[in-house]
């Protein structure tokens, strides 16, 4: 298996991951660190950890593509630098879960556990961990790892580098369209540092906004948004005001009609995520009924079929738009005056 780790200034996080990789059993690894221009000791630590270094222009997708082109094994595994393996056979078990057939159009990901340096927000992190195990649309992200046959990866054309981020979401969508995802055994630990540095609520709300603009095809938002996804070494307390102001500016520039049309598409995507509050109920009640997903199953069996009704969809989408965008419209009007 060829393991690809994209990195820019990840000297603090990289060493423990390389140690985890060196301790893996029952699998032969080629470890490639795809460096996008580090100015710290990342490159030196990678070499000291017996990894090959592949240099690339910055951009996670471009870095991973550059390293994948150097792969010598039939399986690829993409991991973030702040990931930690939690079992000595984790990568071997992942290949077993995918059937060990590198001709199959399968891809694997891991459920997450968060390594934290602060206390508080326990329910928030438990919910994210539970969500990462569902494998549902828009829930599979790069920090969950990607295990994929080199042949299948090349068929998909590698990572889309049209944007400097969201390459994981575009790859996830391509895999759904051409093949199938599987959840691999054992959890992948990931650092909560971005949430902790930027603020849990602010980062999660911005992530939701990013996905809304992405699914609605509002490229202008990303062209003008102030650093929606900063490098880890540059993260600091996140302020949402500039992004709300940008939304208001785009609303004024595009006009009410076009903005409502875009908002209608966003509402449709949001409605398809109606399962998430039910998962949150399950997570909240885990002390009572364990990790059984009673509320989620209730949604899937009863509510989801009901939501296929076009009239009900329209009513709920209109109500959601009024609730979310009504205050934004009012704010725009007051600013205009």
């Amino acid at each position: 298996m060829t393991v690809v780790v994209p990195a820019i200034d990840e000297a603090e996080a990289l060493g423990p991951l390389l140690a985890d990789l060196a301790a893996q059993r029952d699998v032969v690894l080629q470890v490639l660190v795809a460096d996008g221009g580090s100015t710290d000791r990342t490159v030196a630590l990678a070499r000291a950890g017996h990894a090959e270094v592949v240099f690339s222009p910055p951009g996670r997708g471009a870095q991973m593509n550059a390293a994948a082109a150097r792969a010598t094994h039939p399986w690829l595994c993409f991991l973030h630098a702040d990931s930690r393996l939690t079992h000595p056979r984790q990568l071997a078990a992942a290949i077993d879960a995918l059937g060990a057939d590198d001709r199959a159009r399968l891809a694997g990901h891991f459920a997450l556990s968060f390594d934290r340096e602060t206390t508080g927000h326990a329910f928030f992190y438990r919910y994210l961990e539970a969500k990462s195990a569902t494998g549902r649309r828009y829930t599979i992200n790069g920090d969950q790892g990607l295990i994929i046959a080199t042949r299948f990866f090349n068929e998909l054309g590698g990572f889309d580098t049209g944007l400097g981020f969201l390459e994981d979401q575009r790859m996830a969508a391509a895999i759904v369209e051409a093949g199938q995802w599987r959840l691999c055994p054992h959890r992948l630990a990931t650092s909560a540092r971005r949430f902790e540095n930027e603020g849990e609520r602010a980062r999660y709300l911005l992530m939701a906004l990013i996905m809304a603009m992405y699914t609605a095809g509002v490229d202008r938002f990303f062209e003008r948004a102030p650093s929606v996804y900063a490098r880890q070494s540059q993260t600091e307390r996140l302020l949402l005001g500039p992004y709300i102001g940008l939304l208001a500016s785009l609303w004024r520039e595009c006009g009410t009609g076009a903005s409502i049309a875009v908002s209608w598409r966003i509402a449709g995507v949001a409605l398809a995520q109606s399962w998430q509050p039910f998962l949150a109920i399950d997570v909240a009640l885990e002390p009572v009924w364990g990790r059984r997903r009673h509320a989620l199953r209730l949604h899937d069996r009863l509510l989801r079929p009901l939501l296929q009704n076009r009239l009900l969809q329209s009513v709920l989408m209109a109500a959601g738009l009024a609730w979310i965008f009504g205050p934004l419209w009012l704010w725009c009007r007051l600013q205009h005056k």
Side-chain angles (χ1 to χ4, degrees):
M1 175 183 283
T2 296
V3 179
V4 173
V5 182
I8 299 179
D9 293 335
E10 290 285 7
E12 184 176 342
L14 187 59
L17 174 60
L18 293 179
D20 290 344
L21 292 170
Q24 287 293 290
R25 299 201 309 258
D26 302 329
V27 63
V28 177
L29 299 181
Q30 174 196 24
V31 181
L32 303 176
V33 172
D35 187 77
S38 296
T39 57
D40 64 359
R41 299 186 62 251
T42 295
V43 172
L45 285 173
R47 288 171 173 159
H50 306 289
E52 302 174 44
V53 179
V54 178
F55 295 100
S56 163
R60 186 174 282 161
Q63 291 169 235
M64 291 189 291
N65 284 343
R70 301 270 293 274
T72 59
H73 291 257
W75 289 95
L76 286 164
C77 174
F78 297 92
L79 297 173
H80 288 185
D82 59 357
S83 299
R84 296 295 308 274
L85 301 174
T86 61
H87 192 278
R89 287 197 77 257
Q90 188 156 355
L91 297 185
I95 294 177
D96 292 342
L98 295 175
D101 181 1
D102 67 316
R103 294 169 296 180
R105 293 190 164 195
L106 296 173
H109 70 100
F110 300 103
L112 291 176
S113 64
F114 283 90
D115 287 336
R116 304 172 55 195
E117 295 184 359
T118 61
T119 58
H121 302 284
F123 172 78
F124 172 78
Y125 288 105
R126 286 196 297 116
Y127 172 72
L128 291 185
E129 290 172 352
K131 186 177 172 182
S132 72
T134 65
R136 300 192 180 208
R137 188 73 175 97
Y138 304 122
T139 65
I140 301 177
N141 302 304
D143 55 4
Q144 294 173 237
L146 167 61
I147 301 93
I148 186 171
T150 305
R151 183 197 304 265
F152 187 23
F153 178 80
N154 291 334
E155 287 179 9
L156 295 175
F159 288 98
D160 185 339
T161 59
L163 288 175
F165 53 97
L166 290 181
E167 75 290 329
D168 52 353
Q169 284 295 327
R170 295 193 291 279
M171 175 59 74
I175 289 169
V176 169
E177 184 175 343
Q180 184 180 356
W181 279 103
R182 284 187 182 173
L183 180 66
C184 295
H186 312 299
R187 287 186 176 264
L188 185 67
T190 187
S191 173
R193 56 186 180 164
R194 183 176 292 274
F195 283 115
E196 292 174 330
N197 290 346
E198 296 184 341
E200 283 84 355
R201 292 185 183 89
R203 168 44 61 183
Y204 195 72
L205 287 172
L206 182 56
M207 287 166 56
L209 177 58
I210 290 170
M211 289 307 302
M213 295 296 101
Y214 171 64
T215 55
V218 186
D219 295 337
R220 207 180 308 184
F221 175 84
F222 298 105
E223 293 168 1
R224 294 165 53 180
S227 187
V228 292
Y229 209 84
R231 294 180 188 177
Q232 180 58 49
S233 59
Q234 299 170 350
T235 55
E236 56 187 9
R237 188 58 52 176
L238 184 62
L239 300 176
L240 294 178
Y243 303 101
I244 302 303
L246 176 57
L247 279 181
S249 297
L250 293 175
W251 185 291
R252 289 193 298 268
E253 292 172 12
C254 297
T256 301
S259 297
I260 290 177
V262 169
S263 302
W264 191 258
R265 293 200 297 271
I266 295 172
V269 174
L271 192 61
Q273 301 298 305
S274 60
W275 58 270
Q276 294 201 34
F278 291 83
L279 176 63
I281 292 171
D282 282 332
V283 172
L285 292 177
E286 279 181 359
V288 178
W289 59 41
R291 291 190 174 181
R292 298 179 179 89
R293 299 295 180 231
H294 297 308
L296 190 59
R297 283 197 293 271
L298 178 66
H299 166 273
D300 291 347
R301 292 175 182 174
L302 298 180
L303 183 58
R304 184 164 60 183
L306 185 64
L307 290 176
Q308 301 306 309
N309 181 282
R310 292 295 181 89
L311 177 60
L312 180 58
Q313 285 181 5
S314 299
V315 170
L316 291 175
M317 288 163 64
L321 286 176
W323 178 60
I324 295 173
F325 289 96
L328 178 61
W329 176 84
L330 180 61
W331 189 68
C332 292
R333 297 288 292 180
L334 293 175
Q335 289 291 107
H336 187 68
K337 292 180 179 179

